[in-house]
Amino acid sequence: MILSGCNRSASEAPSSLTDPELLREIGRIRAIDHHAHPVSTAAHDRDFDALPVDDMEPQSDPVYLRPGALGVADAWRALWAYPYHDPTPEHQRELSGDRERVLHEKGDQYPAWVLDQMGVEVMLANRVTMGPGIAPPRFLWVPYADALLFPLDNSKLAAETPDRKAFFADEDIMLRRYLKAASLDAAPRNLGDYLARVVTPTLEGHKRGGAVAEKFEAAYLRSLAFDRTERGAAERVYAQYAGKPGHLGSPPAADYKILQDYLFWYIAAECGRLGMAVHLHTMSGAGGYFDVGGANPLLLEPVLNAPELRKTKFVMVHGGWPFMREITPLLNKPNAYLDFSNQGLVLPPATLARSLREWLEWVPEKVMFGTDAYPYSAEMGWEETGWIGARRGREALAIALTAMMREDGISRARALELARMVLRENARKLYGLP
Ligand SMILES: [Zn+2]
């Protein structure tokens, strides 16, 4: 990529698509990043994800996540005063020294410094645990609940694909952590005890620890079709297989689904009782074995239509890509929300703007900004992906709102109000933040 000699990072959005004053105003709004995986200042931090995606088999990566992708050198210039325009490997070595220097200089203030570079005031940190430098008020905790769905022997599910083998190994470790926190060596022998001694105390412990939501990466592990299930049927499956050795403890997939579905509804209801939202990964990926059809947000309709779950707020994280049109009418459910995290990383702003515009023309109070900052590699750490996601998200918003001013006839004041809602006010209301 060759840019003109100026130091400033050029915008990726064609200037004909954005009203320059609106883009400037949007750049000044301090955002709430609804979904991201910041890395703590602890050595060898691995708690930034319950299912780290570096254990997967190779896939055909999307263009914007490849080494040297568009925007990476801009992020380096903005974050580390990188003096070159090309992200070459030789220059990258100098860069890691710059990153270490800032990290050393800022100490535990380093993660908050990264947020300042992104124009983000508060980041929802989707992490197994919080950690040094990752603390309120700048970072709010969103822990994981998937492991609670899989209390039986998972070897049959793990055998389905090589990626699931790695994912279920991680979930088994997570469940052992939750059992240990409940002073148990193994899951109890009946469902009632499991709910009372493990599931509810885990969720209550998260809440006490400051959690504002529970996250499900369930789409990595199974379909999002969580059906309404009789408790008696779930109890029978649990009692038949819990704690049994070898294949005696490993239920057929259809039986296990009954138990998982029951547990999901139970956890969702508990989150409503405790005042925590439920976050669901709704996007194709990660990995080349990912069940894309199983992540269609329309599969969540029974959950979103359940009168007994209306006290729980559900956020469809990543905006459902590629099912962005399907997700739009789901915003009519009073307890359904979405964020567009990750889409700013993998799509150019003009492409993301098309979905954003449709959502903002429908139910704009339910649409939230997010980056999905994530440590993918040495050249694309959570700092770079956060910075790129924040910039492209703002540019996409500017393109959508400019088109709505020019073609739908909304006023400049309304466009700015919508920008503030998406970038912070909608999340502030959802979580009752000051
Ligand atoms: Zn994420």
Side-chain angles (χ1 to χ4, degrees):
M1 184 170 58
I2 298 164
L3 295 170
S4 59
C6 72
N7 254 335
R8 205 167 55 81
S9 296
S11 162
E12 284 177 29
S15 56
S16 61
L17 298 181
T18 50
D19 178 283
E21 193 189 319
L22 187 63
L23 183 60
R24 252 195 317 278
E25 290 286 346
I26 285 173
R28 278 200 276 268
I29 299 171
R30 297 260 288 168
I32 296 174
D33 184 345
H34 184 268
H35 174 79
H37 305 266
V39 177
S40 82
T41 56
H44 313 298
D45 176 29
R46 287 289 285 174
D47 272 0
F48 55 81
D49 195 355
L51 300 175
V53 295
D54 49 8
D55 287 342
M56 293 185 307
E57 287 204 347
Q59 63 162 354
S60 303
D61 283 326
V63 168
Y64 275 79
L65 287 182
R66 294 179 191 174
L70 199 64
V72 173
D74 288 346
W76 291 352
R77 279 199 300 279
L79 291 164
W80 324 115
Y82 180 70
Y84 311 104
H85 291 295
D86 299 296
T88 66
E90 306 83 73
H91 294 153
Q92 201 183 315
R93 275 192 287 281
E94 300 171 29
L95 198 70
S96 67
D98 290 334
R99 187 196 313 256
E100 287 305 313
R101 184 180 47 73
V102 180
L103 185 59
H104 184 74
E105 203 176 278
K106 305 284 175 192
D108 283 348
Q109 289 306 307
Y110 176 77
W113 173 84
V114 175
L115 297 200
D116 292 338
Q117 312 314 303
M118 295 165 60
V120 164
E121 183 179 347
V122 177
M123 175 179 273
L124 270 61
N126 187 200
R127 292 179 48 92
V128 175
T129 59
M130 298 293 257
I134 310 288
R138 300 296 297 277
F139 295 90
L140 301 177
W141 191 28
V142 179
Y144 293 88
D146 296 287
L148 297 170
L149 299 181
F150 301 98
L152 305 179
D153 182 283
N154 293 315
S155 48
K156 273 190 197 144
L157 300 179
E160 283 174 17
T161 72
D163 288 354
R164 283 193 181 175
K165 188 169 178 229
F167 290 151
F168 276 104
D170 290 336
E171 293 299 356
D172 286 345
I173 291 168
M174 279 292 293
L175 185 65
R176 280 202 292 279
R177 280 169 86 155
Y178 289 154
L179 290 171
K180 196 170 166 220
S183 308
L184 292 167
D185 298 327
R189 287 304 180 96
N190 69 72
L191 180 62
D193 281 352
Y194 177 61
L195 298 175
R197 296 181 62 191
V198 181
V199 179
T200 290
T202 300
L203 301 173
E204 287 176 346
H206 287 168
K207 173 77 181 177
R208 276 196 306 279
V212 298
E214 289 286 344
K215 166 79 180 303
F216 285 95
E217 295 180 304
Y220 288 40
L221 308 165
R222 50 154 288 164
S223 116
L224 293 180
F226 295 107
D227 300 318
R228 187 194 296 274
T229 312
E230 293 297 325
R231 172 150 178 157
E235 277 174 345
R236 282 192 291 280
V237 174
Y238 190 99
Q240 188 176 344
Y241 296 99
K244 304 274 169 66
H247 72 278
L248 291 175
S250 189
D255 286 356
Y256 203 173
K257 181 177 184 300
I258 292 170
L259 176 63
Q260 293 158 27
D261 289 2
Y262 180 83
L263 288 168
F264 179 85
W265 282 56
Y266 178 87
I267 293 167
E270 284 287 81
C271 286
R273 176 178 72 83
L274 293 165
M276 294 192 286
V278 168
H279 290 188
L280 288 137
H281 173 102
T282 58
M283 183 179 201
S284 173
Y289 291 105
F290 189 88
D291 175 15
V292 182
N296 187 332
L298 287 184
L299 295 172
L300 293 168
E301 270 207 288
V303 168
L304 298 175
N305 283 342
E308 65 267 47
L309 295 180
R310 281 281 157 102
K311 282 202 192 76
T312 307
K313 288 163 175 165
F314 294 93
V315 188
M316 294 170 282
V317 172
H318 315 313
W321 189 92
F323 306 103
M324 290 96 80
R325 297 221 69 201
E326 284 84 345
I327 214 170
T328 308
L330 294 179
L331 294 175
N332 290 118
K333 320 287 182 192
N335 53 341
Y337 298 75
L338 66 80
D339 79 28
F340 56 88
S341 58
N342 199 276
Q343 291 203 26
L345 266 184
V346 294
L347 302 176
T351 305
L352 169 54
R354 288 198 282 273
S355 311
L356 262 178
R357 179 175 173 179
E358 178 167 307
W359 299 332
L360 295 180
E361 288 168 343
W362 194 245
V363 183
E365 299 78 13
K366 311 291 232 10
V367 179
M368 294 179 288
F369 161 87
T371 62
D372 204 15
Y374 194 95
Y376 286 103
S377 63
E379 74 157 33
M380 284 182 98
W382 77 278
E383 302 93 329
E384 284 86 0
T385 49
W387 188 90
I388 293 168
R391 180 172 78 161
R392 287 209 193 111
R394 283 187 169 91
E395 289 184 1
L397 195 53
I399 295 171
L401 293 169
T402 298
M404 288 165 73
M405 286 199 300
R406 289 174 185 168
E407 295 165 25
D408 300 350
I410 67 166
S411 67
R412 179 173 294 275
R414 176 61 176 161
L416 251 181
E417 183 182 31
L418 287 169
R420 290 190 63 81
M421 285 162 57
V422 170
L423 283 165
R424 55 178 293 133
E425 293 305 315
N426 292 344
R428 200 177 63 76
K429 280 198 185 121
L430 174 55
Y431 300 102
L433 305 179

